[in-house]
Amino acid sequence: MNLRKIVVAIDGYSACGKSSTAKEVSKVLGYRYIDTGAMYRAVTLYFLDQHIALTNPKEVSKALEQIHISFKVNSKSKTETYLNGLSVENEIRKMRVSEMVSQVSTIKDVRVAMVEQQRRMGREKGVVMDGRDIGTVVFPHAELKLFMKADILVRAFRRQKELLDRDQMVDLDDVLENILERDRIDTTRAESPLRQAADAILIDTTHVSFDEQVDEVVRMAIAKMLQPAV
Ligand code: DC
């Protein structure tokens, strides 16, 4: 059977299950998984550690030239984010990064640099990419576009559990506040704000089990892969 390679673009709010779904779907399809949120997190980590002044455009663009982000699959088949050759997978999930990342991702130069890398990573297709602007800006012609949302409390519980799994104890209140603040910044920023592309399929993950969610996305992807290229 002749299956064409496609781009699966998954956008949506923080902590809706985008990354876990994207990861699993990419495994089933044998596609590469690209977590664009991790890229913005890696930039944020670099800016924090190097004390880059976010309001100084020259400093920001000089710093961006020093940043190289890549992904590698580890021995447990998990994708890890690398910043300048070092794995930062754990560090970028910490609250100090979560608290800054939305602000960093409003900076135009940061977005231009990341979008360019993301387009390069997806040029050959055969990728599942998740983020906020994949279907609207990075790959507006992606063959399959999904937009995920979920109830705010469900999202906060899920994110708290994720943090606990990484041995980080954070109050539910603080997690909730961080998610709400990120929603606010992500949806109202001037540069490529989070919004559903006109041709994206809306998925509400509040009452759907993880396996059901993955099956549904895989089914939609295979349907697209079976269609002849136009
Ligand atoms: O998916 P995440 O929660 O790890 O993303 C972290 C932040 O990065 C999110 O609050 C907004 C930003 N982001 C973005 O602006 N554009 C993307 N394509 C992905 C993430």
Side-chain angles (χ1 to χ4, degrees):
M1 197 181 304
N2 217 352
L3 290 180
R4 67 173 175 147
K5 272 201 215 168
I6 65 166
V7 171
V8 180
I10 305 183
D11 289 306
Y13 294 92
S14 313
C16 280
K18 294 190 305 291
S19 300
S20 9
T21 307
K23 248 178 246 170
E24 196 54 34
V25 169
S26 69
K27 270 191 207 151
V28 178
L29 299 178
Y31 274 21
R32 244 170 356 120
Y33 164 56
I34 294 160
D35 176 352
T36 65
M39 297 172 77
Y40 288 94
R41 285 170 180 272
V43 171
T44 304
L45 179 66
Y46 185 90
F47 284 5
L48 278 170
D49 288 351
Q50 302 297 320
H51 307 285
I52 303 299
L54 302 186
T55 47
N56 183 335
K58 271 204 189 126
E59 228 180 275
V60 166
S61 65
K62 230 172 122 196
L64 283 169
E65 286 169 18
Q66 309 299 318
I67 295 177
H68 180 73
I69 300 167
S70 56
F71 295 103
K72 279 187 207 159
V73 180
N74 68 18
S75 55
K76 292 176 185 152
S77 305
K78 291 218 163 101
T79 303
E80 287 190 28
T81 312
Y82 279 72
L83 170 63
N84 295 337
L86 286 178
S87 173
V88 288
E89 191 53 40
N90 269 323
E91 213 49 41
I92 59 170
R93 309 291 164 189
K94 294 196 172 156
M95 280 302 267
R96 72 179 183 115
V97 173
S98 296
E99 279 164 6
M100 272 280 288
V101 63
S102 279
Q103 203 186 326
V104 169
S105 52
T106 61
I107 302 170
K108 186 171 181 182
D109 282 353
V110 170
R111 301 209 71 81
V112 170
M114 291 305 105
V115 169
E116 192 193 315
Q117 287 197 29
Q118 289 153 13
R119 286 191 178 140
R120 214 175 315 130
M121 289 171 171
R123 205 173 35 202
E124 311 284 325
K125 302 202 178 193
V127 292
V128 181
M129 203 175 270
D130 83 318
R132 304 291 186 291
D133 59 345
I134 312 305
T136 49
V137 175
V138 183
F139 286 110
H141 302 297
E143 289 81 359
L144 179 61
K145 295 184 191 177
L146 306 168
F147 190 88
M148 287 193 173
K149 66 171 196 177
D151 179 83
I152 182 74
L153 269 181
V154 170
R155 292 163 62 200
F157 278 127
R158 283 182 191 159
R159 185 47 55 94
Q160 193 191 35
K161 188 179 171 298
E162 225 173 81
L163 286 164
L164 267 179
D165 290 345
R166 291 174 184 270
D167 297 323
Q168 293 180 59
M169 297 269 280
V170 184
D171 274 355
L172 188 66
D173 263 5
D174 292 338
V175 178
L176 195 62
E177 202 177 301
N178 174 253
I179 292 179
L180 285 170
E181 179 61 3
R182 286 208 283 143
D183 280 2
R184 189 188 65 74
I185 302 177
D186 294 350
T187 52
T188 57
R189 68 181 176 220
E191 293 296 325
S192 19
L194 169 66
R195 62 179 177 81
Q196 186 180 347
D199 52 350
I201 298 160
L202 181 68
I203 300 184
D204 185 335
T205 68
T206 310
H207 303 293
V208 184
S209 78
F210 179 68
D211 289 348
E212 283 169 338
Q213 211 165 287
V214 170
D215 285 354
E216 174 77 355
V217 178
V218 167
R219 196 186 50 73
M220 287 191 274
I222 291 175
K224 292 283 181 190
M225 289 156 78
L226 283 167
Q227 283 172 10
V230 275

